[in-house]
Amino acid sequence: MIRLALAFAIVLLLAWGATFVADNPGAATLAVGPWVIETSVAALLLAAALLMLATALALALFAWARRDLPVIGSSAAIKRQSRGLDLVNQALVALAAGDHKLARRLADQSTRLLPPMPMVHLIGAEAAMRAGDHEAAQEKFKALEASEAGKLLGLRGLVQEARRAGKSAEALRLARLAFAEQPKSPWVLNTLFALEVAAGNWAEAEAALQKVARGKLVDTVTLTRHKGALAFARGTEAALKGDADAARKFYTTAHKARGDFAPADAALARLDLKEGKIRQAEKRLKAAWGNAPRPALAAAWRDIDPAESAADSLARVRTLTAGNPAHPLSRTLIAEGLARTGETEAAITLVEGLLAEVPSRDLWALRLKLAEKRGEDTAAIEAALAQAGPGLGWECGDCGHRPVAWQPLCPSCGGFDTFDWLEPGTPRAEQQRDGSMLMLMSGGRSGPVAD
C-alpha cells in the first residue's frame, strides 16, 4: 500500500512538472565556441533525459557482454570454471557409483578447465586407487603435495602408498615431513608414532608418544600402558647391547607403568641372576607369580638352576607356585614336574582336572605322553588333541596371533602393544581391550586390561 502511494505521488509530481514546463516554456541558450544553440527549456530537459537513457542502455549492454559473451572480459574464464566444476560434480557422482574409469576421465578433464585445486587431484587419486592404478594415484598425491593448500593431504596419501608398497623407510621420511608441516595434526602424530615403532626407533617413538599425549589423542590408561611397552622394548635393546644398568632402569619403568607385568619381572630376575643375586631373583619371581602367573616367570625360575635333578626341580616348582597354587599354570607346572619324576598316576589325576577347565593343546599333549607311559589306548586322546585349541597365553587383540612370549610388536599384523593374557573361563570379548592406537589405517582400538 505504501509503495503504491509513493508511485502515485511520483507520477503526480512528474505530471505537475510537465505541466509547469508546458505553461512556462522559457528559453535556453547554449554557446559552445562559435556555435550558439537556442532552444526551449522543455527541449533541453528532453535531450538530457534521452542522453541519460542512452548512457544507461550502453552500460547495461557492456555489462551483459562482459558477463555472457566469450570474447569480452573474464567471461571465458568464468565459463571454463563453471564447466570444470560441473565435471568435478560428475566425477564425484561417478566415484560414488563405482565407475572409477569415468571418474578419472572426468577429473582429468576438469584439471584442464580449472585452476590448480586440491579437490580435483584428490578425486583423481581416489579413483586411481580404487581402479588399482597406484602409480597414477601417487602422481596425484605428488601434485597435491606441491600445492600449498593440499600439502598435508598429499603427504598423507604418499605415506599410505609407501606403506602399501612396504617402503617403511620412505613412509617414515614422509611422516616426518608431515610432522614438520603440521605438528598438531592427529593423523600426523599417530602415524609418526606407528612408523617409529615399526622401525624399532624406540626413543623416537617415545618422543612421538609424548606429543600424542600433549594433543590428548589417547586416554591416560592407554598412554601409561604404551609407555610401559616402550620402556620394555628399550630395556631389551639395552640388554642386547650389554648395558645392564640401562636395561634395569627401563625394565623397572615398564614394571611400574604396567603393574603386574610378568615380562619385565622375568627380565629383571635374569639381570639379578647375571649379577649373582640369586635370592633377589627368587624373591622377585615368587612375588610376581603370586600376583600373575606367566610362562616367562617359570622359564626364568628354571634358569636359576638348569642342571638340577627332576626331584629338585619339582620341589622348587612347588616353592614357586605356593603363592598361587590354584592357578592353572601352577598346576600345569606341577603336573609336568610329576611326569618328569615318574609319578605318572598323580600327574594324570592333575592333568585330567586341568583338562576339565582348560582343554588346551598343550595339556592334551601332556596327557598323551602320560598315557603312552602307562600303556593306555591313545586313540581318544589323539582325537581330542587334534581338535584342541590353545589354552591360556598371550593373544594379539588385533589379529589373534598367539606368540610364545609377550613382545612389543605383533609379528603377524605389526600391531604395537596388542598382546593380552587370556585366562580360562572368561569370554574373549570381556578381556579384550580396545587395542593399540597403532593400527591407524585399519580402525584400531583403545583401552587397557591387566597383563
Side-chain angles (χ1 to χ4, degrees):
M1 188 65 184
I2 296 176
R3 290 181 181 179
L4 182 62
L6 287 174
F8 185 70
I10 291 172
V11 170
L12 288 177
L13 182 63
L14 290 174
W16 176 84
T19 304
F20 178 80
V21 171
D23 293 341
N24 303 279
T29 302
L30 180 64
V32 180
W35 295 283
V36 176
I37 301 174
E38 294 183 355
T39 184
S40 65
V41 173
L44 183 63
L45 291 175
L46 180 62
L50 291 174
L51 181 61
M52 287 189 291
L53 180 61
T55 303
L57 288 174
L59 290 174
L61 180 64
F62 178 77
W64 170 81
R66 180 180 177 85
R67 183 180 66 251
D68 294 329
L69 290 183
V71 293
I72 298 179
S74 60
S75 61
I78 293 173
K79 282 198 169 185
R80 282 197 304 272
Q81 290 184 17
S82 177
R83 174 59 179 160
L85 290 174
D86 184 52
L87 289 173
V88 169
N89 288 331
Q90 293 180 39
L92 282 171
V93 173
L95 190 62
D99 193 343
H100 310 137
K101 290 184 179 180
L102 177 60
R104 289 179 64 184
R105 181 167 61 80
L106 293 172
D108 290 340
Q109 290 177 4
S110 67
T111 57
R112 295 192 288 269
L113 298 173
L114 295 171
M117 296 178 66
M119 176 178 63
V120 177
H121 294 308
L122 181 60
I123 294 172
E126 182 67 21
M129 283 194 300
R130 293 190 183 185
D133 190 349
H134 293 283
E135 290 184 5
Q138 196 168 11
E139 291 302 317
K140 294 294 183 182
F141 286 130
K142 286 180 179 178
L144 270 173
E145 184 193 4
S147 66
E148 186 65 27
K151 188 175 182 65
L152 184 63
L153 195 57
L155 285 170
R156 179 169 184 165
L158 290 173
V159 168
Q160 181 179 348
E161 285 298 300
R163 297 181 79 178
R164 181 199 57 78
K167 300 177 180 178
S168 301
E170 176 66 7
L172 180 56
R173 183 188 70 82
L174 292 168
R176 288 173 175 172
L177 285 177
F179 177 75
E181 179 71 19
Q182 186 57 268
K184 294 184 179 180
S185 166
W187 168 81
V188 169
L189 292 174
N190 286 341
T191 303
L192 181 61
F193 176 53
L195 292 171
E196 295 288 10
V197 164
N201 301 330
W202 306 119
E204 291 82 356
E206 188 170 354
L209 183 61
Q210 293 296 335
K211 295 181 178 71
V212 170
R214 285 197 292 271
K216 296 182 180 179
L217 303 178
V218 62
D219 61 89
T220 304
V221 178
T222 304
L223 174 66
T224 303
R225 176 188 173 105
H226 285 343
K227 283 182 177 179
L230 285 174
F232 181 86
R234 297 188 70 180
T236 302
E237 187 176 61
L240 291 173
K241 293 179 179 178
D243 190 347
D245 291 338
R248 184 178 292 278
K249 174 185 174 183
F250 287 125
Y251 286 142
T252 302
T253 300
H255 174 79
K256 290 180 179 178
R258 298 175 68 111
D260 298 328
F261 188 41
D265 289 315
L268 287 169
R270 292 182 188 279
L271 290 177
D272 292 335
L273 291 177
K274 285 184 178 180
E275 296 172 5
K277 303 175 182 177
I278 297 177
R279 288 194 176 183
Q280 181 171 318
E282 290 179 341
K283 181 179 179 181
R284 187 189 302 277
L285 292 172
K286 286 192 290 185
W289 191 274
N291 292 326
R294 300 289 184 268
L297 301 174
W301 184 262
R302 286 192 295 269
D303 287 345
I304 293 177
D305 190 359
E308 64 188 351
S309 65
D312 290 340
S313 175
L314 177 57
R316 292 186 62 254
V317 163
R318 292 186 185 278
T319 302
L320 173 66
T321 60
N324 204 334
H327 194 277
L329 270 183
S330 297
R331 289 182 285 158
T332 300
L333 286 181
I334 293 175
E336 291 172 346
L338 291 170
R340 284 192 296 270
T341 58
E343 301 178 55
T344 306
E345 297 298 331
I348 289 176
T349 302
L350 198 52
V351 169
E352 288 182 345
L354 283 165
L355 284 171
E357 300 175 22
V358 193
S360 67
R361 190 178 300 116
D362 292 340
L363 283 172
W364 276 114
L366 179 57
R367 180 65 182 90
L368 177 61
K369 181 179 178 181
L370 293 169
E372 290 172 346
K373 280 187 177 182
R374 200 165 64 170
E376 297 179 29
D377 181 6
T378 60
I381 298 176
E382 289 174 352
L385 175 59
Q387 297 179 2
L392 13 166
W394 299 102
E395 181 175 303
C396 176
D398 290 317
C399 70
H401 177 69
R402 298 290 296 257
V404 176
W406 186 93
Q407 46 196 303
L409 290 174
C410 175
S412 177
C413 67
F416 169 74
D417 193 17
T418 56
F419 288 115
D420 293 314
W421 178 263
L422 299 188
E423 290 286 353
T426 306
R428 181 68 180 95
E430 293 181 13
Q431 301 185 65
Q432 180 172 293
R433 61 186 172 81
D434 282 337
S436 167
M437 66 180 177
L438 285 191
M439 305 305 291
L440 319 163
M441 303 285 186
S442 58
R445 303 182 297 267
S446 66
V449 135
D451 287 295

